[in-house]
Amino acid sequence: MTYFLQNLVNALQWGSFYALIALGYSMVYSILMLFNFAHGDIFMVGAYIGFGVASALVAFNSLGLVVLPGWLLLVLTILVSMLLTSFVGMLVERIGYRPLRDAPRASAAITGLMIGIILETGNLALLGAQRVRLPTMIQSVTYDLGGVFITNKKIMIVLVSLGLMLTLHQFVRRTKWGMAMRAMAYDYAVVPLMGVPLNKIAAMTFAIGSALAAAAGILYGVAYPVLDPYMGIVFGWKAFVAAILGGRGSIMGACLAGFLLGFIEIFVTMVFPSTLRDLIAYGIIMLILVFRPHGFFGEAYSARLRL
Amino acid sequence: MLLQVQNLRVSYDGIRALHGVDFNIDAGEIVTIIGANGAGKSTTLRAISHLVQVEPGSRITMEGRDLLKLPADQVVSRLGISHVPEGRRLFGNLTVLENLQLATFARHDSAAVKKDLKRVFATFERLAERKDQKAGTLSGGEQQMLAVGRALMSGRRLMLLDEPSMGLSPLLMSRVFESLKEINREGTTILLVEQNARMALKFAQRGYLLENGEIVRHGPTERLLNDPEVKKAYLGG
């Protein structure tokens, strides 16, 4: 039982990473009907920006003018990196996708893959091949809950992720920008007739998705501090799977599927050797998709209107 | 002159749908464009709202301002031109109230927005009763009311109406047209596109007859109603 609970905690942590990244795929898909295949690399860029911001903050702290507590450094790192990465996302939309808004979707998909390669190799060119290490901002504290060991970091990761998801949910439900996003998901072509600038909503959606990916990148770095330029590839694909599994365009679905992915992966390793993890985990997911091709909350989008 | 359209040409995949359409609308008027299915009526409205690309040489001005140079959303938010599109195109996943609120996205005059919302609910009481219901669950008549209400929220200067009578019972149709008259009396200019020529000509003050992408006749609606050619082709003899 304690073994199960221990794994449950790990699954929640991994699920948080997947869910945060999957949200970016899902949101962009719902309004523009395209999958941003550079999104995994945005996660990587976010982690690296986090590395830069954290390093700068730690260096500033060591000057001793004002000594900020570790948790505050982390909060600042997350917020500043989310902001900076959102600009990267907007740039990707502006340069990569906006000119292709009316082009065949395959062109946009290929563009996404190329942008991903540019981000990876750009990072390599900029920082070199050696891996970097996110500075330690908070010290690990392990709590023993009747044989289940939980670190403060894991609790923090799960809580921050859930907080971001709830904030996004409220944003989409309650604000006029969120309303515009939902309207675009339903019938893109008539949204300008409401006086809504499509381009701004599209840019904003990329910005939000990228900011969430950056948060995921830093949270990942807190748990596993070693970063490398290709870390976004596998994460990107897995989160993409979560977005499909959740139902294309569904925010709630992306979150749930992200967590489900975390659970399946972790629980497969409880039973099978870890080398077989992805083989079995993604076999299970394929089976789910055979029976639910539109995912958990997806609708058949063929009925969608276009002018 | 409120709206002036000159030499409007539009093609779909190389096939020309509008061959240089000219017309104009004065402030406060109700003008209708009638014509058969496929004559280019909806295309004309879509060109004004930027839902279709126009060909070079086409000119559309609103009070002298070049409408084609503005982005689509500013045609609504800056010029006050609203469009009730063919098939209503409501956001079925949003509530009635949200549909109306979204139409005020670019407006910052919150006091006036509140007043307009009140007026829409006063005109269409059914919408007030159903304001928290998803638009997709409304009946056809209610959806048409919401489509008109939404246009009233987004811009009050010129309203483009594409087949508002479609799918409505005669009773509901006359209710919708009554409220349109009222909206017009309150200062909104109306450009109505209709297949139901008789009804449109009775409702409007001036009319244009569109045939195969060209204006072939225009004038006061009484004259068109009595025009033998129009009678024969569009009013059932």
Side-chain angles (χ1 to χ4, degrees), chain A:
Chain A
M1 188 63 195
T2 53
Y3 182 55
F4 174 81
L5 286 175
Q6 186 68 60
N7 279 297
L8 190 73
V9 176
N10 293 339
L12 276 173
Q13 174 182 281
W14 279 89
S16 300
F17 303 144
Y18 294 145
L20 283 177
I21 307 170
L23 281 170
Y25 279 108
S26 238
M27 278 193 296
V28 167
Y29 181 82
S30 75
I31 67 155
L32 295 177
M33 297 248 304
L34 67 85
F35 282 114
N36 170 19
F37 286 124
H39 192 58
D41 294 296
I42 300 264
F43 159 79
M44 175 275 291
V45 169
Y48 269 84
I49 288 178
F51 158 74
V53 173
S55 304
L57 284 173
V58 167
F60 174 75
N61 229 15
S62 65
L63 292 178
L65 300 171
V66 250
V67 177
L68 304 171
W71 64 268
L72 186 59
L73 291 184
L74 182 60
V75 169
L76 283 175
T77 302
I78 292 177
L79 290 178
V80 174
S81 309
M82 283 175 80
L83 183 72
L84 294 176
T85 313
S86 71
F87 288 116
V88 177
M90 284 193 276
L91 205 65
V92 166
E93 189 272 333
R94 184 71 192 84
I95 298 172
Y97 291 114
R98 197 179 296 181
L100 296 174
R101 194 71 63 75
D102 299 314
R105 297 293 82 169
S107 313
I110 292 164
T111 303
L113 294 174
M114 290 192 297
I115 292 170
I117 294 172
I118 290 171
L119 291 175
E120 290 155 20
T121 48
N123 180 338
L124 211 57
L126 210 67
L127 296 176
Q130 83 276 24
R131 296 170 160 198
V132 301
R133 208 183 159 78
L134 193 74
T136 308
M137 288 169 281
I138 49 173
Q139 296 305 322
S140 233
V141 184
T142 308
Y143 308 103
D144 179 356
L145 304 176
V148 182
F149 294 97
I150 301 181
T151 62
N152 56 341
K153 286 182 178 173
K154 278 188 183 142
I155 296 171
M156 185 276 294
I157 287 169
V158 175
L159 288 183
V160 170
S161 305
L162 287 176
L164 288 171
M165 289 171 210
L166 280 176
T167 309
L168 176 72
H169 182 76
Q170 289 303 313
F171 177 82
V172 172
R173 286 285 135 205
R174 307 241 179 268
T175 67
K176 70 172 186 176
W177 297 280
M179 207 171 4
M181 285 171 67
R182 283 184 285 144
M184 266 175 96
Y186 191 81
D187 191 350
Y188 173 95
V190 288
V191 169
L193 296 187
M194 306 297 112
V196 177
L198 284 188
N199 285 338
K200 278 192 192 147
I201 305 297
M204 178 193 81
T205 306
F206 268 86
I208 295 173
S210 304
L212 292 175
I218 295 160
L219 293 176
Y220 175 80
V222 169
Y224 307 94
V226 179
L227 313 178
D228 80 84
Y230 300 109
M231 64 190 273
I233 298 175
V234 171
F235 262 98
W237 286 117
K238 288 184 173 178
F240 171 63
V241 168
I244 295 283
L245 191 62
R248 280 167 278 184
S250 166
I251 285 179
M252 177 83 87
C255 292
L256 286 179
F259 282 111
L260 182 71
L261 224 64
F263 283 100
I264 293 178
E265 282 191 3
I266 296 288
F267 285 106
V268 163
T269 53
M270 274 175 74
V271 183
F272 300 98
S274 65
T275 44
L276 296 182
R277 184 189 70 184
D278 285 358
L279 184 69
I280 295 170
Y282 290 87
I284 294 171
I285 286 155
M286 259 187 76
L287 264 182
I288 299 177
L289 283 173
V290 167
F291 292 106
R292 283 201 69 93
H294 297 297
F296 300 141
F297 295 95
E299 306 140 44
Y301 269 82
S302 54
R304 202 210 279 238
L305 296 161
R306 291 257 163 194
L307 263 192

Side-chain angles (χ1 to χ4, degrees), chain A residues 173 176-177 179-198 201 305-307, chain B residues 46 49 51 72-73 76-77 83 85 89-94 98-99 101-108 150 154:
Chain A
R173 286 285 135 205
K176 70 172 186 176
W177 297 280
M179 207 171 4
M181 285 171 67
R182 283 184 285 144
M184 266 175 96
Y186 191 81
D187 191 350
Y188 173 95
V190 288
V191 169
L193 296 187
M194 306 297 112
V196 177
L198 284 188
I201 305 297
L305 296 161
R306 291 257 163 194
L307 263 192
Chain B
R46 285 182 189 171
S49 298
L51 292 178
D73 58 288
V76 183
S77 59
H83 187 158
R89 305 288 285 265
L90 299 172
F91 300 108
N93 59 339
L94 305 187
E98 285 176 330
N99 266 279
Q101 285 171 336
L102 184 67
T104 65
F105 187 90
R107 289 177 62 176
H108 300 292
R150 198 172 65 164
S154 62

Side-chain angles (χ1 to χ4, degrees), chain B residues 61-123:
Chain B
T61 56
M62 174 86 171
E63 293 178 314
R65 281 183 75 174
D66 189 348
L67 176 150
L68 294 170
K69 283 217 177 96
L70 288 175
D73 58 288
Q74 292 188 15
V75 171
V76 183
S77 59
R78 279 212 184 170
L79 303 181
I81 300 179
S82 55
H83 187 158
V84 181
E86 197 176 3
R88 300 160 194 142
R89 305 288 285 265
L90 299 172
F91 300 108
N93 59 339
L94 305 187
T95 66
V96 168
L97 185 62
E98 285 176 330
N99 266 279
L100 294 169
Q101 285 171 336
L102 184 67
T104 65
F105 187 90
R107 289 177 62 176
H108 300 292
D109 46 347
S110 56
V113 166
K114 263 195 192 131
K115 229 176 92 191
D116 285 349
L117 192 63
K118 260 196 184 148
R119 194 151 29 173
V120 168
F121 282 149
T123 314

Side-chain angles (χ1 to χ4, degrees), chain B residues 130-147:
Chain B
R130 296 175 185 248
K131 70 178 163 61
D132 295 319
Q133 207 170 307
K134 289 257 158 60
T137 67
L138 297 179
S139 72
E142 291 162 349
Q143 290 198 8
Q144 193 64 62
M145 292 175 196
L146 181 53

